[in-house]
Amino acid sequence: MDDGTHRGVSQLLARAAAADLRADHRLVVAIDDFFLADEARLDERTRAALGRTLAALVGAVETAVTRHAARLLATRDARELSAALDAGGAPVLERLVSAGLVRDAELMRELLGRVRQDILVGALPVEAPEDIDRASMLARLIQHPDTVVSAAAMALIAAESRRRGEADAPPSRTDLPAELHHRLVWWVAAALRERFAATAGAALPALDRALVDAALRSVAAHDESDRLEAAAMRLAAALDAHADELAPLLAEALADHRPALFIALIAHAIGLDHADAREIVLDPDGDRLWLVLRALEIDRASIARIGLALSEADPRRNLDIFAETLEDVAATPPAEARAALAQLLLHPDYRAAMLALGRGANT
């Protein structure tokens, strides 16, 4: 056998060994999937939307970092490397997935919440308005005499428009919280470095400088205050609804298919950030949401209207169970509801540490 044959045999053996490991990994995943509880399993619509969102956001960062790094290299006498960057290649998402980076709990919590919130926009039932001549909620708020409220309403409409546009075309921004955006930018820069390091040769230091400069530019340009969720929180703070004003605002926000504002109104009133309130609102069990609404002194009729709308929009919710518990929810004194939510309202980092300790105790 000549050297070429020996080399081919070695490669075949290596591929077979790798295939053996992949087959074992697939078996482990299949077993985990089989025993996964139905309520913990993602439905196909959510899974597909999550995949599209993740690919779009990573792609947006990759495009921004690659283009700027290529421009920098072209001006720094590294034109071949610049051309290689411009030519592109396989999406870096594949490398981030294989490295396990996108299994990041904070990132996936944000993306899953965002996807489910966006799905809810189109799934909420269409309600006939009580007054057909009355303008929509945000249209009225834009005309509000308080300029802080009107400006916040306009900002929310602009943010909603950008979010909807991302579904029709590749986004130019991630719309992520700053910390997660920064994390994603550096992951992408490192993956690009890995892809081109072997062929960069003496230009490797120039590649590193260009990628770092491009990443820093992306980090500096990111403004999390433009996010849809941030805009909704600013409007909720501007409205600063009292207990007797909150119930109709919540009901109208859902009727207008604006779950981001619905969540923000609850978050501002109870003292949570948008992500925590979103998790409570989107939880199909609903128990925490009903307690939050009672802690905010929302009346029975409004809770029933909210529960019905959410149940119609989310097939994971059980309307019969909600109907059976409605009387108990309505009978819960606000003070007792607030006491039951005491741990939920602790500082988020403190609560996260407590949850981490709890997970460790159960392993």
Side-chain angles (χ1 to χ4, degrees):
M1 296 174 68
D2 59 26
D3 289 344
T5 303
H6 280 298
R7 187 164 50 252
V9 170
S10 297
Q11 291 173 348
L12 175 61
L13 293 174
R15 289 198 304 271
D20 193 39
L21 289 174
R22 287 196 300 272
D24 182 67
H25 176 69
R26 283 195 294 268
L27 176 61
V28 171
V29 172
I31 292 170
D32 288 343
D33 182 70
F34 179 77
F35 287 104
L36 191 64
D38 288 342
E39 61 269 17
R41 195 182 301 274
L42 292 178
D43 62 87
E44 289 305 314
R45 182 181 182 185
T46 302
R47 183 186 298 275
L50 187 60
R52 288 194 302 270
T53 301
L54 179 60
L57 299 190
V58 174
V61 172
E62 181 181 0
T63 298
V65 172
T66 300
R67 286 179 178 173
H68 191 64
R71 286 198 298 271
L72 292 174
L73 287 168
T75 64
R76 297 173 181 175
D77 297 325
R79 295 187 179 278
E80 289 186 9
L81 193 52
S82 172
L85 273 175
D86 262 338
V92 300
L93 176 60
E94 296 177 11
R95 183 66 185 102
L96 301 186
V97 171
S98 67
L101 294 180
V102 293
R103 287 178 173 268
D104 181 272
E106 292 180 33
L107 176 64
M108 294 310 294
R109 178 194 184 215
E110 175 63 30
L111 294 185
L112 186 56
R114 173 168 160 175
V115 162
R116 283 180 166 155
Q117 176 182 283
D118 292 345
I119 289 175
L120 191 59
V121 173
L124 284 165
V126 177
E127 297 183 19
E130 296 178 3
D131 182 355
I132 59 173
D133 295 324
R134 192 185 192 203
S136 69
M137 183 181 189
L138 285 190
R140 296 198 315 275
L141 291 177
I142 287 175
Q143 303 300 321
H144 200 284
D146 186 334
T147 56
V148 174
V149 172
S150 62
M154 291 180 66
L156 179 56
I157 288 179
E160 287 180 336
S161 178
R162 285 194 300 270
R163 180 66 62 82
R164 285 195 300 270
E166 291 171 4
D168 303 323
S172 58
R173 46 188 291 155
T174 64
D175 220 23
L176 288 171
E179 184 177 347
L180 293 179
H181 175 80
H182 298 173
R183 199 177 302 171
L184 189 57
V185 167
W186 290 114
W187 287 345
V188 168
L192 289 170
R193 199 256 192 202
E194 182 183 75
R195 176 189 295 171
F196 293 101
T199 57
L204 182 58
L207 173 65
D208 285 333
R209 288 194 300 273
L211 288 174
V212 167
D213 289 345
L216 289 173
R217 178 176 180 266
S218 180
V219 166
H222 183 71
D223 184 359
E224 68 176 352
S225 67
D226 287 340
R227 299 175 61 235
L228 169 59
E229 292 76 12
M233 287 297 290
R234 287 198 300 275
L235 179 53
L239 290 169
D240 196 22
H242 298 148
D244 58 336
E245 301 169 327
L246 187 57
L249 284 174
L250 289 173
E252 192 169 7
L254 282 186
D256 280 1
H257 292 210
R258 289 193 157 89
L261 179 55
F262 175 84
I263 293 165
L265 289 167
I266 289 176
H268 175 74
I270 200 70
L272 292 170
D273 64 25
H274 194 281
D276 283 338
R278 179 177 61 197
E279 192 171 278
I280 290 170
V281 169
L282 297 177
D283 183 353
D285 290 338
D287 292 333
R288 292 181 298 172
L289 176 58
W290 315 140
L291 278 181
V292 166
L293 294 178
R294 282 306 296 143
L296 295 173
E297 302 181 25
I298 304 300
D299 60 276
R300 180 191 182 282
S302 296
I303 293 175
R305 183 177 177 184
I306 290 168
L308 178 60
L310 293 175
S311 295
E312 290 186 15
D314 188 347
R316 299 175 302 158
R317 294 179 182 269
N318 189 314
L319 183 57
D320 292 334
I321 292 178
F322 170 66
E324 291 172 2
T325 60
L326 179 57
E327 295 306 325
D328 292 336
V329 171
T332 303
E336 290 188 17
R338 284 190 290 271
L341 295 169
Q343 184 169 319
L344 181 68
L345 302 178
L346 293 172
H347 189 283
D349 291 341
Y350 184 44
R351 191 157 48 85
M354 294 168 63
L355 289 172
L357 284 174
R359 284 194 297 271
N362 293 325
T363 57

